[in-house]
Amino acid sequence: DHDPEGLLSTIPAVATALLGMFTGEFLRWPRLKDRPMRRVGLMLLAAVGLMAVGLLWDLAFPINKNLWTSSFVCFAGGLSLLLFALTYLVTDVWNYRRWAFGFLVIGVNPITIYVAERIVNFRSVSKFVFGVPFGLFPPAWAPMLDGIGLTTVAWGFLYVLYRKKIFLRVF
């Protein structure tokens, strides 16, 4: 199997994972427990800072996902933090959560879908369920429709588990 990133991408990949870990630790800071808007503001500031560093670093070391460059890590990490901060603002600060139900179904069982994907061929199920209607679209649409079908089938599987209160946990 071809690995476009190679061995040297390990360090930036670890850095990307650490950005997520640091964000999680930041959310647990006790001194910001009663100051959610301050949390949002600091995350937005860090996000803009990371994106700016990534864009500036891009002038010398181009943003390249295939090579997982450090400029890519900074920019993508900043963009991810920006989106996370906005999601945190809407769901946890403003307490508007109805829109996120689809993500909740996935988020309460992420290990399950990872393991189930190795046992159940969701792609084949998707082709069986959606093959005829998706075949009516132009071939150029196939990758997008395959992704939509696969996601729909996997989400449906997780929804059944959610309704039955079946959750796989790793302790």
Side-chain angles (χ1 to χ4, degrees):
D1 216 327
H2 174 68
D3 181 12
E5 292 90 10
L7 187 60
L8 292 177
S9 68
T10 302
I11 295 170
V14 168
T16 301
L18 286 173
L19 287 173
M21 188 201 73
F22 293 148
T23 301
E25 288 298 314
F26 171 76
L27 289 174
R28 295 175 53 160
W29 278 8
R31 68 181 129 155
L32 292 177
K33 182 180 177 191
D34 299 323
R35 302 185 69 191
M37 286 305 291
R38 179 128 171 107
R39 276 187 185 156
V40 171
L42 290 170
M43 284 191 288
L44 290 174
L45 187 65
V48 170
L50 277 168
M51 291 169 67
V53 166
L55 289 173
L56 285 172
W57 187 223
D58 176 55
L59 299 172
F61 195 52
I63 294 173
N64 187 319
K65 193 270 181 222
N66 281 340
L67 297 177
W68 213 283
T69 59
S70 52
S71 56
F72 170 78
V73 170
C74 290
F75 186 79
L79 184 58
S80 297
L81 184 57
L82 174 73
L83 294 173
F84 178 80
L86 294 175
T87 302
Y88 175 79
L89 175 67
V90 172
T91 57
D92 290 341
V93 178
W94 294 342
N95 208 25
Y96 182 65
R97 297 181 176 165
R98 249 199 255 157
W99 68 274
F101 178 73
F103 298 112
L104 173 71
V105 169
I106 297 167
V108 296
N109 245 338
I111 303 296
T112 304
I113 198 64
Y114 178 77
V115 171
E117 188 270 328
R118 294 186 176 354
I119 300 166
V120 179
N121 190 338
F122 290 113
R123 190 168 305 282
S124 292
V125 174
S126 172
K127 288 196 185 299
F128 177 78
V129 172
F130 299 112
V132 172
F134 284 0
L136 300 173
F137 290 87
W141 290 34
M144 180 187 69
L145 293 173
D146 286 345
I148 290 170
L150 178 64
T151 303
T152 302
V153 168
W155 188 89
F157 172 76
L158 288 176
Y159 180 70
V160 169
L161 296 179
Y162 177 84
R163 295 284 295 183
K164 294 182 180 279
K165 297 185 182 346
I166 298 171
F167 307 106
L168 178 63
R169 301 273 188 246
V170 177
F171 296 98

